[in-house]
């Protein structure tokens, strides 16, 4: 078939299918996010227009926002579907790099198709071209190399024959999953080649379930059998494997308390007797207490990021760590006994080895006891008498009015700690906290992508700082007709960084508006509700818990009825937090008041657990 490079690429996208966790067949690439410029409008843009009825194209308003929406889409489909993003040369491409970083850190599949400079170099330098003095082959797209799982620059049409199988492999592989970047030079997009028709035959991609090495399973089972206080930590890999129910069966069969990481949150029903709560700095005191007492941790599908491990102070130095992970890169970290394989398959194999072994019932029962104390603490925060709502009360209202199949999302600032530590779920996968990269602005863009993919109503929680970063995607979603609810906590600035700054003895500086340089005696304020209305959304305001409850209920109804985002703006206490009582390593100068606590934390830090 004589096709341009761009036409061939689009036809290939249409031919790729994916199998979901429940066995349904769906498009692997359900849609494209696009902003066109001279680098992609006539090549890829024309090819996309030819198939506009088969492959939906959504126009965004920032390239970063489109990339974040694609990441949110991937997360909401458990990595079974992949959003595609195309941009022009230069600033459009570079705007995508942050979104690639988010997808890379969170192991999420996105396909990025930035335009690139001319291979023939005839119009050199082309509009928007950066010219590195030291390397004639480099373009701005080389910035994607550090944040791509797979990168290629297509300089001849026939290169697609070798590249596209690798693209599909990376996007659907549980170990290598992450962003793929294909840089598409403007002239090559329009070049013609006689492609084999077999390239465009339908292919269904089924995510593999690699079984771990038997010897590693036997060794891990031996460590568990010898333990007295084992703890099961469930991460995002359990979610993407569809192994949540299997992990609970494993815990119930052997009496092992269960905790969750940020990416694994809501895998376990909150009221389950083995649920100790979420782990780490943004987690719960209950899970952290069990982690400190555990002699063996079985960490499934997690890379054990510093917020999960409290910078490696949440565990005992005498701990034995066993990791079960599809990615060997993550499994071998921290001196762990590594079991490399799929979460569901690996838990099946471990169960076969452990047979009827069970933990001492006194250790098993401690999970419910510790979590009951944590629940009482959160209840007190939710029920406190305050003039304006706290973050815990905002989360409580959203939690109370949400339904089991709904989806809640946040990313940066203080709200991840409030949502992770305070949310009470039913066991359905219903949460996305982007805390791998903690990207301000993901809250709105990611919600747009999640709203496309998730069958329930999406609610995103964010601060005023994140709102001001990427609010244009409220209009993107309103225009396209993708409803969700955004709850904006207006607290006068970057409250969580001010908390870190002042909590370590630093002076208030450049975070809250009151401490930011201005030439005005009365600085301007943003009317977030009116701004959201100007972007095509329905908006509500609240200044009390009762008003918030009423406003959020109305926003939920409005979003569904009007098929567009609804925004709730709530004045929020800037310095009332849900504390899990864990330490986090940040660089503290010696002259600040927080230095003694820093030194004490370093002394309690586990550097390498060993086998």
């Amino acid at each position: 078939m004589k096709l341009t490079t761009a036409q061939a690429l689009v036809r290939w996208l249409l031919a790729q299918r994916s199998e979901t966790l429940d066995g349904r067949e769906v498009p692997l690439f359900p849609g494209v996010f696009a902003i066109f410029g001279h680098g992609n409008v006539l090549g890829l843009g024309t090819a996309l227009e030819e198939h506009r009825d088969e492959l939906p194209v959504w126009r965004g308003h920032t390239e970063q926002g489109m990339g974040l929406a694609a990441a949110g889409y991937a997360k909401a489909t458990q990595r079974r579907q992949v959003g595609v993003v195309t941009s022009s040369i230069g600033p459009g491409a570079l705007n995508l790099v942050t979104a690639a970083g988010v997808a890379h850190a969170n192991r999420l599949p996105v396909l990025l198709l930035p335009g690139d400079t001319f291979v023939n170099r005839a119009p050199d330098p082309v509009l928007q071209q950066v010219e590195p003095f030291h390397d004639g082959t480099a373009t701005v797209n080389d910035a994607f190399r550090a944040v791509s799982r797979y990168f290629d620059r297509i300089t001849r049409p026939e290169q697609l024959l070798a590249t596209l199988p690798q693209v599909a492999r990376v996007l659907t592989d549980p170990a290598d999953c992450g962003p793929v970047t294909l840089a598409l030079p403007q002239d090559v997009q329009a070049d013609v080649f006689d492609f084999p028709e077999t390239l465009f035959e339908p292919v269904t991609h089924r995510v593999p379930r690699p079984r771990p090495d038997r010897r590693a399973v036997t060794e891990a089972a031996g460590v568990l059998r010898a333990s007295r206080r084992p703890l099961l930590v469930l991460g995002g890999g359990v979610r993407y494997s569809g192994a949540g129910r299997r992990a609970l069966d494993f815990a119930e069969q052997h009496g092992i308390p269960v905790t969750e990481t940020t990416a694994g949150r809501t895998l376990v029903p909150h009221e389950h007797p083995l649920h100790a709560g979420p782990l780490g700095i943004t987690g719960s005191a209950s899970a952290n207490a069990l982690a400190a007492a555990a002699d063996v941790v079985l960490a499934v599908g997690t890379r054990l990021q510093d917020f999960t491990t409290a910078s490696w102070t949440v565990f005992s130095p005498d701990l034995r760590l066993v990791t079960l992970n599809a990615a060997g890169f993550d499994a071998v970290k921290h001196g762990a006994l590594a079991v490399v394989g799929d979460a569901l398959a690996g838990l099946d194999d471990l169960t076969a080895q452990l047979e009827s072994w069970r933990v001492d019932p006194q250790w098993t029962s401690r999970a419910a006891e510790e979590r009951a104390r944590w629940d009482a603490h959160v209840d007190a925060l939710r029920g406190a008498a305050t003039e304006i709502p706290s973050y815990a009360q905002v989360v409580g209202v959203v939690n109370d009015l949400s339904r089991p199949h709904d989806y809640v999302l946040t990313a940066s600032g203080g709200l991840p700690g409030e949502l992770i530590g305070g949310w009470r779920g039913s066991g359905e996968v219903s949460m996305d906290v982007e805390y791998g990269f903690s990207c301000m602005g993901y809250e709105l863009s990611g919600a747009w992508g999640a709203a496309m993919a998730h069958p329930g109503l999406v609610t995103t929680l964010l601060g005023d700082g994140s709102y001001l970063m990427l609010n244009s995607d409220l209009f993107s979603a309103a225009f396209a007709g993708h409803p969700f609810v955004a709850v904006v906590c207006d607290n006068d600035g970057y409250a969580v960084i001010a908390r870190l700054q002042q909590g370590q003895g630093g002076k208030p500086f450049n975070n809250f508006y009151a401490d930011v340089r201005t030439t005005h005696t009365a600085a301007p304020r943003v009317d977030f509700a009116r701004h959201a209305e100007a972007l095509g959304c329905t908006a509500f305001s609240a200044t009390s818990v009762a008003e918030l409850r009423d406003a959020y209920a109305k926003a939920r109804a409005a979003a569904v009825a009007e098929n567009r985002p609804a925004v709730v703006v709530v004045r929020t206490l800037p310095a009332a937090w849900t504390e899990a009582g864990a330490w986090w390593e940040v660089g503290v100068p010696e002259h600040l008041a927080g230095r003694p606590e820093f030194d004490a934390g370093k002394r309690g830090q586990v550097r390498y657990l060993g086998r």
Side-chain angles (χ1 to χ4, degrees), residues 136-292:
T137 67
T139 76
V140 297
N141 285 333
D142 289 283
F144 284 100
R145 292 181 184 272
V147 287
S148 297
R149 288 286 187 158
Y150 183 82
F151 177 93
D152 200 356
R153 179 176 282 112
I154 305 301
T155 58
R156 292 179 61 89
E158 58 266 37
Q159 289 174 351
L160 289 181
L161 300 176
T163 293
L164 292 179
Q166 298 301 329
V167 170
R169 175 189 64 81
V170 174
L171 293 173
T172 60
D173 188 280
D176 289 347
C177 187
V180 169
T181 301
L182 292 186
L184 301 174
Q186 183 173 166
D187 50 346
V188 177
Q189 291 181 42
D191 285 348
V192 173
F193 180 73
D194 192 6
F195 289 93
E197 293 186 13
T198 50
L199 179 64
F200 312 116
E201 291 177 355
V203 176
T204 300
H205 300 274
R206 298 174 177 86
V207 177
R209 294 193 181 279
R211 302 206 82 91
D213 179 77
R214 291 182 181 179
R215 292 166 297 181
V217 172
T218 299
E219 189 175 356
V223 170
L224 284 166
R225 272 199 218 93
S227 68
R228 298 178 57 209
R229 298 178 303 281
L231 185 66
L232 183 61
V233 178
L234 305 182
V238 177
R239 169 180 181 160
Y240 303 133
S241 172
R245 182 61 256 177
R246 186 66 194 89
L248 266 183
D249 290 343
F250 178 85
E252 291 166 356
Q253 183 170 343
H254 305 297
I256 304 175
V258 184
T259 69
E260 301 162 311
T261 72
T262 298
R265 196 66 176 91
T266 69
L267 282 166
V268 183
H270 180 77
E271 298 296 336
H272 195 285
L274 290 175
H275 185 217
L279 184 65
I281 299 163
T282 52
S284 61
S286 53
N288 294 344
L290 265 75

Side-chain angles (χ1 to χ4, degrees), residues 28-77:
L28 178 63
F29 302 103
V32 178
F33 298 90
I35 294 177
F36 293 133
H38 73 89
N40 63 350
V41 67
L42 295 178
L44 192 56
T46 299
L48 288 168
E49 190 278 331
E50 291 170 353
H51 297 278
R52 62 189 304 171
D53 295 331
E54 304 161 82
L55 185 62
V57 176
W58 307 104
R59 201 197 81 173
H61 294 87
T62 68
E63 290 82 3
Q64 179 182 334
M66 295 192 305
L68 296 178
Y73 193 107
K75 185 79 173 279
T77 61

Side-chain angles (χ1 to χ4, degrees), residues 523-545:
R525 288 190 55 82
V526 178
D527 187 330
F528 292 101
R530 289 180 63 189
H531 187 268
E533 288 175 343
L535 291 174
C537 303
T538 305
F540 305 86
S541 297
T543 58
S544 69
V545 174

Side-chain angles (χ1 to χ4, degrees), residues 461-534:
L461 290 86
L462 66 157
D464 51 350
S466 282
Y467 181 95
L468 290 171
M469 287 223 173
L470 274 175
N471 51 67
S472 61
D473 279 336
L474 283 173
F475 177 69
S476 302
F479 184 89
H482 296 123
F484 60 86
V485 178
V487 179
V488 181
C489 295
D490 185 359
N491 55 24
D492 284 335
Y494 300 149
V496 75
I497 293 301
R499 169 196 186 191
L500 175 62
Q501 180 185 60
Q502 296 173 55
Q504 299 299 318
K507 295 179 180 179
F509 177 59
N510 204 47
N511 287 310
F512 282 124
Y513 293 141
D515 307 313
V516 175
R517 186 182 185 91
T518 177
T519 60
H520 296 283
T521 54
R525 288 190 55 82
V526 178
D527 187 330
F528 292 101
R530 289 180 63 189
H531 187 268
E533 288 175 343

